[in-house]
């Protein structure tokens, strides 16, 4: 806390970036315009997540002209969550603020975030306001995803929570102590607890280009969130098993009672009912085996303890 009372704070801005060559100069200028007027010591940590569109050259140029800009280049595209993790690992400041490179996380909120951290909050979580947005595929799937994850996991994740947030040194050290391979940072940060506050913001359109979250990447993030934060899919198996067990007991009792009362002629060979039960039971077993398979796969990847990302190069890094 004492460090937070200092007037001049060291603040690291972590910016993951993947193929955003058209937006870089504008977002950099927009962020500078805000932070240059503040009495703190800022460092920009750009994480180039394996871009192949000229983003790397533009970043190198920015970094050559501004000593405060550190550029971490990852060895390939590891994904947004891994790039954010690389940036947070490199952060040594009193406060870390993460924001996207496409202009959708308004830099104008930065002073407010810093203000809330200096007031004593450890986490300032940006929340995208869903005002006046037309229903889109992304919005619908995102709403469904938040509904599901909040239903089945013990960790609550607020709808609209973005990877636009500020963390105190304490909270940042907390996230850095979580070494898991499959990372859903919004859930991990909510899991930590600490003093948090929500900061709603209006999300502008992307400055340029298209979303770098492909359908595959969105699906992987949702799967990381569900399977690493919830055991509910396994319990579905347990409950279905119980239901089938009770049904089987009922059936056995019924058949036995017919035998005991000498009504054996009423026990008819029932192809359709048998087939029905067989299909339902085998379907459920296959789905559950699939769930177990996914968990085994996740465990397999965790026990390998591979790094979440690999760094190919660094510029203006004074930490070593
Ligand atoms: N990004 C990244 N690696 C990826 C995909 C995205 O570093 O594999 C960056 C991207 O450049 C942007 C941020 O993560 O700065 C958020 O991505 P995007 O804006 O495409 O996501 P959306 O806003 O559509 O959810
Ligand atoms: Mg975006």
């Amino acid at each position: 806390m004492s460090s937070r009372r200092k007037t001049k704070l060291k603040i690291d801005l972590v910016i993951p970036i993947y193929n955003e060559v058209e937006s870089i100069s504008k977002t950099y200028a927009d962020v500078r315009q805000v932070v240059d007027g503040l009495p703190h010591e800022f460092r920009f940590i750009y994480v180039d997540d394996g871009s192949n569109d000229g983003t790397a050259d533009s970043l190198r140029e920015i970094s050559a002209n501004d000593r405060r800009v550190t550029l971490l280049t990852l060895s390939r595209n590891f994904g947004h969550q891994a790039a954010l993790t690389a940036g947070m690992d490199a952060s040594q400041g009193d406060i870390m603020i993460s924001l996207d490179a496409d202009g959708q996380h308004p830099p104008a909120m930065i002073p407010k975030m810093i203000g809330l951290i200096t007031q004593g909050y450890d986490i300032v979580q940006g929340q995208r306001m869903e005002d006046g947005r037309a229903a889109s595929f992304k919005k619908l799937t995102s709403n469904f995803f938040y509904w599901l994850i909040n239903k089945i996991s013990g960790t609550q994740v607020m709808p609209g929570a973005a990877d636009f947030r500020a963390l105190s040194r304490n909270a940042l050290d907390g996230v850095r102590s979580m070494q898991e391979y499959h990372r859903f940072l919004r859930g991990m940060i909510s899991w930590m607890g600490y003093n948090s506050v929500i900061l709603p913001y209006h999300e502008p359109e992307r400055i340029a280009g298209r979303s770098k979250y492909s359908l595959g990447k969105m699906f992987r993030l949702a799967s990381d969130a569900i399977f690493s934060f919830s055991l509910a899919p396994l319990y579905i198996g347990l409950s279905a098993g119980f239901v089938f067990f009770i049904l089987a007991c009922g059936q056995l009792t019924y058949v036995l009672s017919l035998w005991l009362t000498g009504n054996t002629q009423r026990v008819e060979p029932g192809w359709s009912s048998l087939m029905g039960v067989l299909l339902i039971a085998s379907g459920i077993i296959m789905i559950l085996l699939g769930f177990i398979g996914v968990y085994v796969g996740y465990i397999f990847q965790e026990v390998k303890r591979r790094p979440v990302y690999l760094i190919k190069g660094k510029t203006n890094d004074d930490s070593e």
Side-chain angles (χ1 to χ4, degrees):
M1 283 295 278
S2 60
S3 67
R4 275 191 254 166
R5 294 213 186 86
K6 291 187 302 198
T7 45
K8 192 167 176 134
L9 295 163
K10 284 188 175 174
I11 301 176
D12 291 333
L13 305 168
V14 168
I15 310 168
I17 185 159
Y18 176 54
N19 289 351
E20 305 279 8
V21 70
E22 301 142 288
S23 323
I24 297 175
S25 337
K26 171 134 178 53
T27 41
Y28 169 67
D30 288 352
V31 175
R32 273 200 65 167
Q33 204 179 12
V34 173
V35 303
D36 285 354
L38 298 174
H40 306 295
E41 193 179 321
F42 284 92
R43 193 170 150 225
F44 295 68
I45 305 178
Y46 276 98
V47 185
D48 177 11
D49 188 17
S51 302
N52 51 19
D53 69 340
T55 295
D57 293 333
S58 306
L59 285 176
R60 259 194 299 273
E61 199 184 311
I62 292 176
S63 158
N65 292 322
D66 187 346
R67 282 285 309 159
R68 300 172 303 173
V69 177
T70 295
L71 167 60
L72 298 183
T73 310
L74 303 190
S75 61
R76 64 168 169 86
N77 178 234
F78 281 90
H80 183 208
Q81 305 290 296
L84 269 173
T85 305
M88 292 195 294
D89 287 349
S91 164
Q92 296 185 321
D94 303 309
I95 299 176
M96 187 286 316
I97 299 176
S98 57
L99 67 159
D100 286 354
D102 59 358
Q104 290 195 287
H105 293 167
M109 305 302 285
I110 291 175
K112 213 170 218 171
M113 287 178 146
I114 299 170
L116 287 164
I117 297 272
T118 49
Q119 273 173 37
Y121 286 105
D122 283 296
I123 302 172
V124 181
Q125 174 63 58
Q127 182 188 29
R128 191 180 57 227
M129 301 307 291
E130 296 286 356
D131 45 351
R133 283 170 159 250
S136 63
F137 177 72
K138 192 155 184 161
K139 188 176 161 187
L140 286 174
T141 46
S142 153
N143 285 347
F144 173 70
F145 165 72
Y146 281 111
W147 173 82
L148 184 69
I149 191 85
N150 285 326
K151 267 253 166 325
I152 67 177
S153 93
T155 304
Q156 293 300 298
V157 187
M158 180 183 64
D163 285 312
F164 181 33
R165 68 173 73 82
L167 299 181
S168 69
R169 187 71 238 170
N170 260 350
L172 182 63
D173 287 341
V175 192
R176 286 176 54 173
S177 71
M178 297 162 91
Q179 296 286 321
E180 57 223 72
Y181 183 76
H182 291 280
R183 302 175 80 79
F184 175 56
L185 284 164
R186 280 158 243 182
M188 289 160 65
I189 282 162
S190 159
W191 176 89
M192 290 200 305
Y194 288 118
N195 260 347
S196 336
V197 61
I198 294 161
L199 185 64
Y201 68 95
H202 297 277
E203 186 182 74
E205 289 296 323
R206 264 184 158 269
I207 291 176
R210 291 193 340 185
S211 171
K212 302 303 175 304
Y213 256 94
S214 59
L215 202 60
K217 278 180 180 164
M218 263 164 69
F219 185 76
R220 233 167 298 148
L221 184 70
S223 153
D224 282 352
I226 288 167
F227 290 108
S228 48
F229 274 92
S230 168
L231 293 179
L234 291 176
Y235 286 106
I236 297 174
L238 209 61
S239 334
F242 270 120
V243 170
F244 270 78
F245 183 74
I246 290 165
L247 285 177
C249 287
Q251 155 95 352
L252 276 178
T253 319
Y254 174 66
V255 176
L256 206 66
S257 71
L258 292 177
W259 274 92
L260 289 177
T261 52
N263 284 324
T264 42
Q265 73 282 1
R266 286 182 55 194
V267 187
E268 285 165 14
W271 185 83
S272 47
S273 52
L274 203 66
M275 203 60 186
V277 172
L278 199 77
L279 287 177
I280 293 172
S282 48
I284 289 182
I285 290 170
M286 275 183 237
I287 292 172
L288 297 175
L289 273 180
F291 284 153
I292 294 173
V294 176
Y295 283 108
V296 172
Y298 271 64
I299 295 167
F300 172 62
Q301 282 173 328
E302 291 292 346
V303 296
K304 278 195 282 190
R305 301 229 60 75
R306 285 210 179 147
V308 175
Y309 57 86
L310 290 173
I311 293 177
K312 193 163 75 174
K314 283 182 196 175
T315 64
N316 294 347
D317 183 26
D318 302 328
S319 60
E320 285 155 26

